[in-house]
Amino acid sequence: MNETVKTAEEKRISANTVKSVAMKLYPFVALFIIVVLFSVWSGGRLLAARNLKTILTEAFRMILGASALAFVISQGAIDLSYGSAIGLCAAIGAISAKAFGPPAVFVTLLVGAVIGLVNGFVHAKLHVNAFITTLSMSFMLGGLLDTILGGGSASVPYSMLNWDSTWLRLITLIVVVAIGYIVFEYGKLGKRCRAVGSNETAARQSGINIANVKMTAYMITGVMAGFLAFFSLIRTGTSTSGTGDGFEMDCMLSLFLGGMPITGGTSAKFRAAIIGGLTMTVLTNGMNVVSLDVLVQQFVRGVIFLAAVALTFNRKTVAFIK
Amino acid sequence: MSDEKKLLFQAKNMYKSFGPTKALVDVSLDVYAGEVVGLIGENGSGKSTLTTIIARIQKGDQEEMYLEGQPYSPPDVIAATAEGICMVTQEQATFEDLSVAANIFIGEEKQFATGPVVNNAQMKKAAKKALENIGVTHINVSTLAGKLVFEDRKLVEIARAVYADPKILIIDETSTTLGKRGRDILYSVINSIRDSGRAVIFISHDIDEIMEVCDRISILRDGHKVAEMEKKDFTSLGIKRQMVGREIEDNFYRNDYDGSFSDEVALRARNLALGCLRDISFDLHKGEILGVGGLADCGMHDLGRILFGLDKPDLGSVETGYGKRIKKNTDAIKNDFAYISKNRDQEALFSVMSIRDNICIASLNKLANGLGLISNKKEKDLVNTWTNELQIKMDNMNQFVMYLSGGNKQKVAVAKWLGFHADVFILDCPTRGIDVGVKAAIYQLLSELKAQGKAIIMISEELPEVIGMSDRILIIKDGLISGEFPRNPDLKESDLINYMI
Ligand SMILES: Nc1ncnc2c1ncn2[C@@H]1O[C@H](COP(=O)(O)OP(=O)(O)OP(=O)(O)O)[C@@H](O)[C@H]1O
Ligand SMILES: [Mg+2]
């Protein structure tokens, strides 16, 4: 009698362990598969020295973008204005760079911060749902961007392109990711973001300033948008209406590929931004290297998006996704 | 009598484990027609596990059950209901976004449907009847369940279970969510089921209530059945001894009748009005335990929320002793206030978060270093201190709170604020669902907090607890303070009840 009980129980335990280990490993497995797949498919061109530099440039953008967005997504919120914020920051940055050169970075950061502040204010203080708030914001920013650029583009002084260097990117990436990791995993802010994502009512009753936590997270994505806009300017030299386009989706996809649940909460881990950012970079770059049709690329992204969301989302604790 | 008793339900060889926790080991339970069987034991002893398996909310690792002599093993709750076993669970089980009527007939809408359209009027009428069936007339069946006070939500669940006309009704740790009126309704439901030759399985941590209500009890300890007792053998001491496996004192409240406290005010409430609260003013002093009692819908639970800055009163103000206004939850926490909601699973706790994070979340500011970072060691020390102090039964501190037994969840909510070292404790039913042993420990702790000069408001439906622990008692009726009583050994429950209704 007791025997059968034990074995049934052992089965259950081992099944559970397998499942939780699989959940932890899946982001690594996804990265591995995508690297191997595109290495083979591209006949080794993926990992060639020249392409690696491109990958680094892309990974810089993706990992930093996802790192900042992690603070928003872990609360169960969303920022759909991320890409258009980069677009607007870049346009205003380019124009001001003509006037005062590299210090234009402060302008892009400021513009980003203001966008974040408005998003945060509308969502947290006026209690407009995050989806509506940031979607409307992205429309407004898009409109502003077109008005400023007048359908054309704005370029920065040629000398500013000298600022761009692989080393600068690498060091910035490492420093910012390290700070982000520590703040997210061990800081009050990170813990509060996850608490809000787990149960907002309980967070309020634990004395957490919900509005502050929400506003801070949007400020982080806003400032990051300004930061990335500046790096985009010194790399490409111009700002166009396409700058930042679709960035919010790529960052979200990064996080989900990295194992972050779409509902946020306690199982949100910062490593999702790093691993997922890398996976997303290799995926995007790989599809370009093998010259996949752009429409097919979009389709692949959509499929992966759905698969990643479905995988990371904990069915035990939530009935369905909002 | 025992010879003519008819065996209605039988469970044998019941086993259930959760990871390393053996929640049930070879447990058996017999239920005879026309009786109320009590199921008692410490927090985490397996009561809810056993009854939820019987009600088919979950399945045992091994199980053997018979209902009226026939093998009983329905696949799910709906099938169990159809066979005649219903359960009112310890956790809240109404959907707040649905109307009372929709909650009562959830999953049963078909009976009111013509094609795809549900006849709402008909459903409402039936819902009204279901409520009247158990003697409830004050609940409007069109309101959303989320708008009801806690007690009424539980009454809706009881009406739902009773309407299915079960042969066996299981009631898991429900009385502590009910006030006096709710309990009277519950007892009359239990009596009518017993008198009609059916049966009730009744779970409670209130030994007096168990002795009053039950004809027979089964006692669980650490997943094992350790004893059965007939009504004639019931003694409070004997039951407790079997539950905890050692001798424990009968009187666990404070035994001093000093009732003195400092003149220094810790919290000042002035002319508070919100909802049914009309005009509430009082001072809470350092070193004072202030009991607040009343009927469930007298507004006393809202009072707790206002005091912690969660709800903004229409009129009046809450201040600290130094005259700082409490307008928001952040004001409250800055002034070292603590609050435990009565709604444990949705509000007081993060169910899907670890025990560790639940305990630390309120204390982040105190744990953090100058950079706003928190070391693992500090967190673990805090958690270890309080999980040991309150004897929280868990596998490890990284376990989600949702997997704890009801009483152990409550302990986590208490641990969170003890670890925070609050100065003012606003406690709404703090010992809800906690077993006698740990209750004694919590009362002991409250006495120590009082001695340290902390101020405590205890809002509670349990009059013995209010009388036993408070230096001063306020009774709220119709949104006003209807009576104030200093600590007094001669104070009786009936004295207070007179001021409640
Ligand atoms: N889903 C679960 N996952 C893991 N452990 C569980 C789960 N459900 C119950 N347990 C554990 O099983 C044991 C028995 O729990 P149960 O809920 O039956 O206790 P209980 O007697 O109802 O206690 P209480 O008086 O506190 O309600 C506890 O140690 C609990 O932590
Ligand atoms: Mg229980």
Side-chain angles (χ1 to χ4, degrees), chain A residues 1-6 8-9 12-13 16 125 179 182-189 191-192 194-210 212 265-267 314 316-318, chain B residues 13 15 17-20 61-62 305 308-311 328-330 333 339-341 345-354 356-357 361-362 364-365 368 372-376 379 400 402-403 416-417:
Chain A
M1 277 272 179
N2 249 325
E3 289 296 288
T4 57
V5 174
K6 256 205 189 123
E9 177 48 22
R12 208 189 68 91
I13 291 182
N16 264 357
K125 295 278 189 188
I179 294 173
I182 292 171
V183 172
F184 191 88
E185 295 291 343
Y186 299 101
K188 288 190 279 187
L189 179 65
K191 287 175 191 285
R192 287 182 177 148
R194 288 192 295 269
V196 170
S198 288
N199 179 343
E200 196 173 314
T201 311
R204 219 157 86 80
Q205 297 198 0
S206 305
I208 293 178
N209 190 335
I210 308 279
N212 250 357
T266 188
S267 42
N314 191 345
K316 247 195 196 150
T317 54
V318 207
Chain B
N13 299 320
Y15 285 86
S17 307
F18 299 100
D61 295 337
Q62 196 180 324
R305 297 177 56 87
F308 195 71
L310 293 168
D311 288 340
K328 294 187 309 242
N329 64 336
T330 45
I333 198 124
Y339 171 65
I340 299 182
S341 163
D345 296 281
Q346 275 94 22
E347 298 181 18
L349 291 172
F350 302 82
S351 300
V352 196
M353 207 160 91
S354 65
R356 167 178 163 169
D357 287 344
I361 191 72
L364 293 183
N365 279 332
L373 304 178
I374 294 146
S375 79
N376 270 334
E379 276 196 359
F400 281 166
M402 63 187 282
Y403 297 127
K416 163 166 111 179
W417 293 114

Side-chain angles (χ1 to χ4, degrees), chain B residues 150-211:
Chain B
F150 214 77
E151 170 177 275
D152 289 346
R153 291 179 78 162
K154 215 67 206 179
L155 289 176
V156 169
E157 289 175 43
I158 296 172
R160 176 168 70 199
V162 172
Y163 193 74
D165 205 20
K167 291 173 188 146
I168 296 179
L169 178 65
I170 302 169
I171 301 168
D172 189 359
E173 188 56 43
T174 293
S175 21
T176 43
T177 62
L178 300 175
K180 174 155 174 23
R181 178 175 59 190
R183 283 183 202 194
D184 289 343
I185 289 170
L186 180 69
Y187 300 146
S188 78
V189 164
I190 290 176
N191 285 332
S192 84
I193 291 185
R194 173 189 8 215
D195 296 344
S196 65
R198 293 170 292 155
V200 176
I201 301 177
F202 185 72
I203 299 176
S204 167
H205 285 293
D206 184 339
I207 310 279
D208 294 333
E209 182 185 35
I210 284 275
M211 299 201 327

Side-chain angles (χ1 to χ4, degrees), chain A residues 71-300:
Chain A
F71 289 88
V72 172
I73 300 278
S74 62
Q75 294 181 31
I78 198 169
D79 187 354
L80 295 172
S81 64
Y82 207 5
S84 44
I86 293 183
L88 189 72
C89 290
I92 298 180
I95 291 167
S96 47
K98 283 184 189 139
F100 28 81
V105 66
F106 296 110
V107 176
T108 62
L109 291 178
L110 185 71
V111 175
V114 170
I115 296 172
L117 194 67
V118 175
N119 268 334
F121 183 82
V122 175
H123 173 47
K125 295 278 189 188
L126 306 183
H127 302 284
V128 178
N129 130 339
F131 185 88
I132 302 287
T133 305
T134 58
L135 185 64
S136 319
M137 176 59 85
S138 88
F139 289 138
M140 292 190 286
L141 297 178
L144 275 176
L145 179 62
D146 284 341
T147 315
I148 289 176
L149 294 181
S153 62
S155 16
V156 301
Y158 195 67
S159 60
M160 260 175 76
L161 294 183
N162 294 334
W163 278 69
D164 190 26
S165 87
T166 303
W167 280 110
L168 178 67
R169 279 169 201 277
L170 196 61
I171 292 168
T172 315
L173 178 66
I174 291 171
V175 171
V176 176
V177 164
I179 294 173
Y181 181 83
I182 292 171
V183 172
F184 191 88
E185 295 291 343
Y186 299 101
K188 288 190 279 187
L189 179 65
K191 287 175 191 285
R192 287 182 177 148
C193 287
R194 288 192 295 269
V196 170
S198 288
N199 179 343
E200 196 173 314
T201 311
R204 219 157 86 80
Q205 297 198 0
S206 305
I208 293 178
N209 190 335
I210 308 279
N212 250 357
V213 175
K214 288 182 170 172
M215 304 235 292
T216 310
Y218 280 111
M219 290 285 281
I220 290 176
T221 52
V223 169
M224 181 59 82
F227 191 73
L228 292 176
F230 180 74
F231 273 89
S232 153
L233 283 179
I234 60 176
R235 186 167 63 92
T236 61
T238 57
S239 128
T240 69
S241 63
T243 308
D245 219 16
F247 190 63
E248 60 281 342
M249 283 300 158
D250 287 353
C251 286
M252 266 192 275
L253 187 42
S254 300
L255 288 173
F256 301 152
L257 280 172
M260 185 167 294
I262 189 168
T263 45
T266 188
S267 42
K269 296 267 182 294
F270 192 80
R271 62 160 188 267
I274 306 171
I275 301 163
L278 269 180
T279 313
M280 188 60 200
T281 305
V282 176
L283 175 70
T284 315
N285 178 271
M287 290 196 293
N288 281 332
V289 169
V290 300
S291 318
L292 213 59
D293 186 87
V294 181
L295 295 177
V296 178
Q297 291 198 13
Q298 284 305 339
F299 181 77
V300 172

Side-chain angles (χ1 to χ4, degrees), chain B residues 18 21 23 42-49 90 205 393 403 405-407:
Chain B
F18 299 100
T21 310
E42 292 180 281
N43 294 133
S45 55
K47 306 178 296 293
S48 299
T49 306
Q90 185 171 20
H205 285 293
K393 200 174 165 207
Y403 297 127
S405 79

